[in-house]
Amino acid sequence: MDLGIKGKRAIVCASSKGLGRGCAEALAAAGVDLVLNARTAETLEQTAQEIRDAYGVKVEAVACDITTEEGRAEVLAKLPDPDILVTNAGGPPPGKWSDWEIADFEAALHANMLTPIMLMKHTLPRMIDRGWGRVVNITSQSVKAPIPVLGLSNSARAGLTGYVAGTSRQVAEYGVTINNLLPGIHATDRAKSLDGGVVKAEGITMEEAKKRREATIPARRYGTPDEFGATCAFLCSVHAGFIVGQNILHDGGGTNATI
Ligand code: NAP
């Protein structure tokens, strides 16, 4: 299917690896020019070059922390008026409700709620002026069904979800859609690090930890960044203009709910 977005320009945050990279690659495959971002310059530049080589699109790389005001300013200076914005950042650490102080919540809120909100605040006006735009926020299945050890993530992402629910309905009439894409377990460094936590806590092997988690997913496997990216690119396509303010699970059936 032709996604109809060849020549458009996208910012994809936190995209040197994992799900962000999956989204960047799928957009590049559809002919979209990219501004990529991550903190580690070397990995980011390598990803940027691999995407240039593979898809022949323009790719610029901005190495910075997207959860800071300065980082966001650097990315927006490179591309102040993207047609497509994919927000993403690292997820907060796991723990227990009694572990976290205000500073921990503030860090999670900056990373997983306020950063996407500020990026939208800066980019939506020009999308509205042009009469076309797409925003996809990478959130988590924990928005639909809380993951108890990820209380910081549950809290911050719930705030973003509420913001998107209202804002998406204020901008839809201008041809601008905002949706959230909710990953379940995917084979990325983040999943490895969470499995690593279980290995430490329970004294089992990495393979056993993965097997146990796969058993909780109806598809009986982890998702891939490629599958995730393809879904993101569809949401950014011309065909998805009537999908507004949705929270789309990409979790192999892991969230046990009727709707
Ligand atoms: P990942 O494989 O660890 O990749 C994270 C990417 O984000 C890397 O490119 C990393 O590069 C970059 N990054 C992290 N913090 C950043 C920051 N502050 N500023 C700029 N770039 C940053 O993670 P992932 O699995 O793709 O997860 C992406 C998001 O989805 C996370 O919020 C995660 O919590 C959420 N999620 C993932 C899963 C899963 O199973 N994978 C499930 C549910 C939710 P640098 O380290 O160089 O900055």
Side-chain angles (χ1 to χ4, degrees), residues 14-20 37-40 43 64-67 88-91 112 138-141 157 183-186 188-191:
S15 51
S16 65
K17 295 196 261 177
L19 304 180
N37 148 261
R39 291 163 303 180
T40 315
T43 336
C64 63
D65 184 342
I66 197 69
T67 68
N88 186 26
N112 302 116
I138 299 179
T139 67
S140 171
Q141 74 180 140
R157 297 190 200 277
I185 311 304
H186 286 70
T188 68
D189 285 359
R190 168 78 171 168

Side-chain angles (χ1 to χ4, degrees), residues 4-153:
I5 49 178
K6 191 172 173 8
K8 302 251 186 232
R9 296 156 312 136
I11 292 175
V12 186
C13 303
S15 51
S16 65
K17 295 196 261 177
L19 304 180
R21 177 172 177 157
C23 296
E25 290 215 34
L27 289 170
V32 175
D33 294 325
L34 302 171
V35 169
L36 303 186
N37 148 261
R39 291 163 303 180
T40 315
E42 206 183 337
T43 336
L44 178 65
E45 189 41 58
Q46 189 181 331
T47 296
Q49 192 54 48
E50 285 170 9
I51 294 179
R52 281 181 206 114
D53 293 346
Y55 305 102
V57 293
K58 284 189 211 133
V59 184
E60 297 198 79
V62 184
C64 63
D65 184 342
I66 197 69
T67 68
T68 64
E69 208 173 323
E70 304 75 50
R72 289 190 292 278
E74 273 188 64
V75 169
L76 290 168
K78 193 63 83 181
L79 182 54
D81 58 345
D83 305 289
I84 294 167
L85 169 68
V86 179
T87 76
N88 186 26
K96 195 177 164 195
W97 62 270
S98 50
D99 294 341
W100 302 311
E101 303 299 339
I102 282 194
D104 301 305
F105 282 100
E106 282 172 349
L109 289 174
H110 275 287
N112 302 116
M113 176 185 166
L114 298 174
T115 288
I117 289 176
M118 286 301 114
L119 288 167
M120 282 185 262
K121 185 175 190 308
H122 282 91
T123 55
L124 286 173
R126 292 195 209 176
M127 293 183 187
I128 289 169
D129 286 348
R130 273 199 304 262
W132 198 94
R134 297 284 184 266
V135 179
V136 174
N137 301 296
I138 299 179
T139 67
S140 171
Q141 74 180 140
S142 68
V143 164
K144 293 249 186 188
I147 301 170
V149 294
L150 292 179
L152 293 172
S153 167

Side-chain angles (χ1 to χ4, degrees), residues 229-240:
T231 307
C232 174
F234 178 75
L235 287 173
C236 296
S237 76
V238 293
H239 310 296

Side-chain angles (χ1 to χ4, degrees), residues 219-255:
R220 301 285 180 255
R221 66 176 178 86
Y222 288 6
T224 70
D226 286 354
E227 292 169 307
F228 189 86
T231 307
C232 174
F234 178 75
L235 287 173
C236 296
S237 76
V238 293
H239 310 296
F242 210 51
I243 301 178
V244 170
Q246 297 304 299
N247 290 282
I248 295 165
L249 279 166
H250 194 269
D251 70 345
T255 304

